[in-house]
Amino acid sequence: MSCSDAARGVTAPDLGLVLSGGGARGAYQVGFLRYLASRYPNLAPGILTGVSAGGIIATHLASRQGTFAEGVADLTDLWRALRMRDVFRVDPVDLTSRVARWGLRLVGGGMPGSPHARSLVNTTPLRGLLMDALNAAPDGTIPGIARRLETGALNAVALTASSYSTGQSVTWVQNAEGCGVLTWEQPHRKSIAGSLRVDQVMASCALPFFFPAINVDGAWYGDGGIRLTAPLSPAIHLGARRVLAVSTRYARSRQEADRSAVTGYPPPAQVAGVLLNAIFLDLLDADALQLHRLNFFIDQVPPDATGGMRHVDLLVLRPSQDLGRLANEYEVDLPRGFRFLARGLGSRETSSNDMLSLLMFQEEYLARLIELGETDALARAGEIDTFLQRPGGIAGEFPRPEGTSRA
């Protein structure tokens, strides 16, 4: 089937859905998708890209048959049923042994016989969950993606991970035959075409130190947000002319930004939260601003002077509340062994627990985020409708350069 033939069955072949990382915060994106599916039950974004938790969501949508609304309903059921034990082992024996191995490795000075420590938690439950949820074959391939590509319900899906072996950002792409999607390769980021597997989904969400690195085709990979300096890039490379990006990063006001989250010396949990936000969640803002500036330049020059660049409409949606602060409300409900470990890192010494929010796979917290995502989307329903229904429309959160109007 050619790309043009396939696209006839696609509602929005040029629409790219970009889902950022954020661990348990991915439930917020599920809430947004619930609103979108209620408003546009037959919407079919032609391009799905994701990283970390967003990669899990993108892959799930890409593999589900039926309508967009049916796929989102399945996705919602999956996230609402999630428990921390479904993602990683939380029994005290396993957690204690892993912490002990890290400690012995540090004091062992790398001597032969020092304990082998790969991660703070065991993510074997997550692999089993993904194998079942994605209806994966025994070798980890995901047949549902190929079927949707063949029927024209999807043009391309992409997952990004960070190679610990080379330091590159690697995007794995599976696209419809005949679509002519070109791979790309730059010094610090490249793409690899082929069928997506559960190993690649696991690699994309392998949070450094907490989750173990994943071996994919002989190289070791971790969370895709580590090296992904241009989160919007994969969707644009794959042909998107409109990009709908959902972030899990709360945009603080000036007053909130100046308010200290800790009293006294910052505990490890606070330092880790700042670091994880900087690595995984802040880059979408910078990339969106860069795209907006490029759009402004492209709109000012003749088409033959753009150097092959094209205008790409962008709408970014994000939480209206601080998800780290919300996580504090549910800290007491964590499994005892994990709660003990988290408090040892200082989870009760910060008012905005960004580190914990990534790992808070707790029923009440996830339900709260799903509800918030849906509510936030409803509040911006007009912008979303304009963006999806008006070809060539400009929507976004970033102001145009001074002296110009905003459409």
Side-chain angles (χ1 to χ4, degrees):
M1 179 182 294
S2 70
C3 184
S4 58
D5 291 336
R8 292 172 186 164
V10 179
T11 305
D14 68 340
L15 176 63
L17 182 61
V18 175
L19 300 169
S20 69
R25 296 184 187 188
Y28 176 83
Q29 297 173 328
V30 175
F32 164 75
L33 292 172
R34 274 177 56 80
Y35 165 79
L36 201 62
S38 68
R39 179 70 171 160
Y40 299 94
N42 295 310
L43 178 69
I47 299 159
L48 298 172
T49 74
V51 58
S52 193
I56 294 176
I57 295 172
T59 306
H60 194 277
L61 288 177
S63 67
R64 274 295 177 270
Q65 311 308 303
T67 66
F68 181 65
E70 291 169 341
V72 171
D74 287 345
L75 185 66
T76 304
D77 291 341
L78 174 66
W79 277 79
R80 280 182 169 164
L82 268 183
R83 303 295 181 271
M84 193 169 284
R85 63 178 179 270
D86 299 321
V87 181
F88 51 84
R89 289 184 59 179
V90 293
D91 54 285
V93 172
D94 185 79
L95 290 172
T96 301
S97 66
R98 287 175 175 275
V99 172
R101 282 200 295 270
W102 274 105
L104 290 173
R105 182 178 178 86
L106 288 172
V107 301
M111 296 293 292
S114 296
H116 193 58
R118 288 191 171 185
S119 61
L120 285 173
V121 297
N122 180 342
T123 56
T124 300
L126 177 59
R127 179 180 293 276
L129 175 72
L130 292 175
M131 290 289 290
D132 290 340
L134 299 176
N135 295 316
D139 65 352
T141 56
I142 308 168
I145 296 177
R147 288 195 291 269
R148 293 200 71 224
L149 290 169
E150 289 169 0
T151 61
L154 182 68
N155 283 348
V157 58
L159 296 175
T160 300
S162 303
S163 172
Y164 289 141
S165 303
T166 66
Q168 292 176 307
S169 176
V170 176
T171 300
W172 293 295
V173 177
Q174 186 171 350
N175 63 282
E177 183 179 355
C179 278
V181 174
L182 300 177
T183 56
W184 60 93
E185 184 164 358
Q186 298 179 16
H188 299 298
R189 52 190 172 97
K190 67 177 183 178
S191 65
I192 300 175
S195 297
L196 296 181
R197 309 191 304 273
V198 169
D199 278 345
Q200 292 157 326
V201 183
M202 289 285 293
S204 181
C205 61
L207 193 66
F209 298 112
F210 286 96
F211 292 4
I214 304 297
N215 189 303
V216 179
D217 300 327
W220 292 94
Y221 293 89
D223 195 294
I226 299 173
R227 293 289 296 172
L228 187 58
T229 56
L232 304 174
S233 176
I236 295 173
H237 275 297
L238 293 172
R241 293 183 176 276
R242 294 177 294 162
V243 173
L244 185 57
V246 188
S247 172
T248 60
R249 176 75 157 122
Y250 170 67
R252 296 183 297 173
S253 67
R254 177 67 61 84
Q255 292 76 17
E256 289 172 318
D258 290 338
R259 188 182 306 141
S260 177
V262 296
T263 301
Y265 193 84
Q270 176 66 15
V271 176
V274 172
L275 180 63
L276 293 172
N277 275 336
I279 295 175
F280 302 127
L281 303 178
D282 290 345
L283 294 175
L284 177 60
D285 294 338
D287 200 25
L289 181 58
Q290 178 70 8
L291 177 60
H292 194 91
R293 288 170 173 166
L294 284 174
N295 282 341
F296 177 72
F297 166 76
I298 292 169
D299 292 345
Q300 307 306 310
V301 301
D304 58 358
T306 62
M309 294 186 294
R310 66 179 184 278
H311 182 111
V312 178
D313 294 332
L314 173 67
L315 177 61
V316 179
L317 297 107
R318 63 180 68 256
S320 61
Q321 298 181 41
D322 187 335
L323 304 190
R325 288 183 180 274
L326 286 180
N328 279 341
E329 299 178 20
Y330 302 92
E331 187 266 355
V332 69
D333 298 322
L334 289 170
R336 181 178 299 177
F338 187 79
R339 184 174 69 237
F340 182 81
L341 175 62
R343 289 181 177 179
L345 294 173
S347 63
R348 304 189 77 180
E349 301 172 41
T350 173
S351 61
S352 183
N353 219 317
D354 290 318
M355 181 199 76
L356 198 58
S357 71
L358 300 176
L359 303 169
M360 184 69 77
F361 292 95
Q362 290 292 97
E363 179 181 6
E364 295 83 1
Y365 182 65
L366 297 178
R368 180 86 171 269
L369 296 195
I370 291 173
E371 180 183 1
L372 179 63
E374 200 165 4
T375 301
D376 285 353
L378 179 61
R380 298 184 64 183
E383 290 179 79
I384 296 171
D385 286 345
T386 297
F387 182 78
L388 292 177
Q389 296 176 7
R390 181 167 59 102
I394 299 172
E397 298 181 345
F398 299 94
R400 283 180 170 269
E402 185 176 356
T404 64
S405 62
R406 179 177 177 178

